[in-house]
Tab-separated table of all heavy atoms in Angstrom:
chain	number	residue	atom	x	y	z
K	1572	ARG	N	79.720	32.726	52.977
K	1572	ARG	CA	79.912	31.421	52.349
K	1572	ARG	C	78.568	30.818	52.033
K	1572	ARG	O	77.650	30.855	52.855
K	1572	ARG	CB	80.678	30.503	53.296
K	1572	ARG	CG	80.750	29.037	52.848
K	1572	ARG	CD	81.261	28.170	53.977
K	1572	ARG	NE	81.122	26.743	53.699
K	1572	ARG	CZ	81.141	25.790	54.607
K	1572	ARG	NH1	81.301	26.102	55.889
K	1572	ARG	NH2	80.995	24.510	54.262
K	1673	ARG	N	40.130	46.799	44.177
K	1673	ARG	CA	39.749	45.428	44.531
K	1673	ARG	C	40.170	45.065	45.945
K	1673	ARG	O	39.838	43.988	46.435
K	1673	ARG	CB	40.398	44.430	43.564
K	1673	ARG	CG	40.066	44.630	42.091
K	1673	ARG	CD	40.980	43.764	41.242
K	1673	ARG	NE	42.377	44.127	41.459
K	1673	ARG	CZ	43.417	43.335	41.179
K	1673	ARG	NH1	43.204	42.114	40.695
K	1673	ARG	NH2	44.653	43.742	41.386
K	1706	GLY	N	44.407	36.515	50.835
K	1706	GLY	CA	44.313	35.472	49.819
K	1706	GLY	C	44.397	36.072	48.424
K	1706	GLY	O	44.473	37.289	48.251
K	1710	HIS	N	41.338	33.688	43.399
K	1710	HIS	CA	40.807	32.501	44.064
K	1710	HIS	C	39.492	32.779	44.784
K	1710	HIS	O	38.839	31.834	45.239
K	1710	HIS	CB	41.805	31.976	45.104
K	1710	HIS	CG	43.103	31.497	44.522
K	1710	HIS	ND1	44.229	31.303	45.283
K	1710	HIS	CD2	43.446	31.185	43.244
K	1710	HIS	CE1	45.215	30.893	44.504
K	1710	HIS	NE2	44.768	30.815	43.271
K	1799	SER	N	35.792	20.157	38.071
K	1799	SER	CA	35.553	19.454	36.810
K	1799	SER	C	36.758	18.663	36.332
K	1799	SER	O	36.608	17.653	35.618
K	1799	SER	CB	35.149	20.474	35.721
K	1799	SER	OG	36.167	21.442	35.539
Side-chain angles (χ1 to χ4, degrees):
R1572 171 192 169 199
R1673 302 169 300 160
H1710 296 164
S1799 59

